[in-house]
Amino acid sequence: MHSDNIQTSKSIQQETGRTFHLATRLLPERIRHPTYVMYAFFRVADEVVDQTDGPPPTVQHEQLEVIREAALGNVDPAETDHEAVMAAFQDLAERHDISEETINVFIDAMEMDIAQARYETFEDLREYMGGSAVAVGHMMTEVMDPPQKAEALPHATALAEAFQLSNFLRDVREDIHDYGRVYLPQETLDRHGVTEEQLADAEVDDAFRAVMQEELARTDELYREGVAGIRYLPEDCQFGVLLAAVLYADHHRLIRDRGYDVLTETPELTRRRRLWLLARTWWHWRRNGDPEATFYTVSAVSERGPGETPTDAHGHGQPAWRG
């Protein structure tokens, strides 16, 4: 990959994904550079649909189709608005044999964001995440190329879902005010009697706290499933992925410390907190070399939450949130 294209991609990650960028820097160069490129590609597509004053849906669809065709190698990157990023991604997809299906599933999820802003059930939301987050996790797994890929992929799926759900839970205020979207499952809101008007008016009461507690418990369980698979990754990739899990899950601590109020302000990790978590994670990792043990020692996710029963990577069992 051309160094200028990589630098452009790296700059996009530095500017828009500080948490993920810190974890990416801990990956070996053979994975770090492709990760910059993938992140930049994801952002280019995501920004088509995440503009508060963006173009009409027909134009957004057209823009995404250009990105799709460029990613698939059917369009010259010079014909796009993001030549450096798309050229780097084309090269990456060819080098690492990223499937057309994975690329299509990701772009399809971005298309969904244009037309769909509500999700009735968690399974409906999970279908969306199958493109927006899980496809990303699968691309990362392809690039890392673990020797036990079949064993690693279900855990990569769970971890990708956990990362995205943490973002959804952190960004409830921004999503509804800036984009008119609600990523909390409607069935969860209805079960606790929480309305969209309440979300928009930033009314944090016991019912809303119960919604957040339920969704945080669901997400915690996915972290447990995801982190259990880090051991399948190449050794030089494990710490970077572990740190990403620790950092993303720390938003749960912030949310709980705020009494589950994500409606009046969006909780954000400070630079000092991120660096402290990096140092603490590294120290425990050096002591035991066990990703799961380190995660439960350092992160905001307990090894087993109260009232929950174990589940496997496919979601079997009866944790509290699967009532």
Side-chain angles (χ1 to χ4, degrees):
M1 285 180 282
H2 195 283
S3 60
D4 288 346
N5 293 344
I6 294 172
Q7 185 57 47
T8 299
S9 298
K10 178 180 178 180
S11 297
I12 291 173
Q13 192 192 66
Q14 286 176 311
E15 293 169 7
T16 61
R18 289 172 295 179
T19 297
F20 195 60
H21 180 65
L22 178 58
T24 300
R25 289 172 60 186
L26 277 299
L27 294 169
E29 182 176 304
R30 64 186 173 81
I31 307 300
R32 186 167 66 250
H33 287 178
T35 302
Y36 291 148
V37 171
M38 283 188 287
Y39 183 90
F41 167 65
F42 304 146
R43 287 300 305 176
V44 162
D46 194 48
E47 286 175 3
V48 171
V49 295
D50 275 358
Q51 301 177 55
T52 55
D53 56 349
T58 54
V59 175
Q60 290 178 316
H61 281 295
E62 290 170 2
Q63 291 174 341
L64 283 175
E65 287 309 307
V66 171
I67 292 171
R68 183 200 303 270
E69 291 304 309
L72 294 171
N74 299 330
V75 169
D76 188 325
E79 298 179 25
T80 73
D81 294 332
H82 306 279
E83 180 178 356
V85 171
M86 297 313 305
F89 186 80
Q90 280 188 3
D91 185 57
L92 178 148
E94 183 176 347
R95 284 171 180 256
H96 296 280
D97 197 26
I98 303 298
S99 71
E100 291 189 1
E101 179 185 2
T102 301
I103 293 170
N104 281 323
V105 165
F106 172 73
I107 298 296
D108 287 347
M110 297 302 97
E111 299 263 9
M112 284 179 65
D113 259 338
I114 299 173
Q116 186 168 352
R118 305 292 185 274
Y119 297 87
E120 182 61 33
T121 68
F122 176 67
E123 290 307 316
D124 293 335
L125 183 61
R126 201 168 210 172
E127 182 179 350
Y128 165 74
M129 292 193 297
S132 61
V134 175
V136 173
H138 286 188
M139 287 188 206
M140 287 292 301
T141 306
E142 288 295 332
V143 169
M144 291 183 186
D145 195 23
Q148 294 177 276
K149 191 177 296 183
E151 288 80 1
L153 275 172
H155 298 284
T157 295
L159 196 56
E161 290 177 334
F163 286 176
Q164 186 156 39
L165 287 171
S166 289
N167 283 348
F168 287 160
L169 294 170
R170 177 196 65 192
D171 294 340
V172 175
R173 178 180 181 275
E174 178 182 327
D175 285 334
I176 193 168
H177 280 285
D178 293 352
Y179 308 112
R181 297 181 191 142
V182 177
Y183 290 109
L184 297 170
Q186 295 293 305
E187 63 180 1
T188 308
L189 295 171
D190 293 344
R191 182 159 50 250
H192 296 284
V194 174
T195 65
E196 288 188 21
E197 289 75 19
Q198 180 176 343
L199 302 183
D201 293 340
E203 297 176 11
V204 180
D205 59 11
D206 287 344
F208 178 73
R209 293 187 186 96
V211 168
M212 292 298 293
Q213 288 170 338
E214 182 172 336
E215 294 304 316
L216 284 167
R218 187 201 307 274
T219 308
D220 283 352
E221 183 64 17
L222 287 166
Y223 274 107
R224 296 183 189 105
E225 296 173 18
V227 169
I230 292 178
R231 69 180 187 272
Y232 294 118
L233 301 177
E235 287 187 14
D236 59 357
C237 296
Q238 291 182 14
F239 181 74
V241 175
L242 170 63
L243 179 63
V246 168
L247 292 172
Y248 274 84
D250 205 55
H251 288 94
H252 297 199
R253 173 194 60 83
L254 282 176
I255 291 169
R256 291 182 175 113
D257 286 352
R258 291 174 52 83
Y260 304 96
D261 178 8
V262 292
L263 299 181
T264 61
E265 187 179 350
T266 300
E268 293 186 9
L269 297 181
T270 63
R271 182 175 183 273
R272 181 177 180 181
R273 177 68 181 181
R274 291 195 300 269
L275 293 176
W276 184 83
L277 287 169
L278 165 61
R280 190 158 183 251
T281 305
W282 178 251
W283 190 81
H284 284 282
W285 172 257
R286 294 286 290 178
R287 285 188 65 196
N288 59 47
D290 183 334
E292 285 186 89
T294 301
F295 180 75
Y296 293 125
T297 300
V298 175
S299 83
V301 177
S302 63
E303 187 166 3
R304 185 59 52 195
E308 295 178 353
T309 57
T311 66
D312 63 24
H314 301 288
H316 301 303
Q318 288 296 318
W321 47 264
R322 285 191 186 274

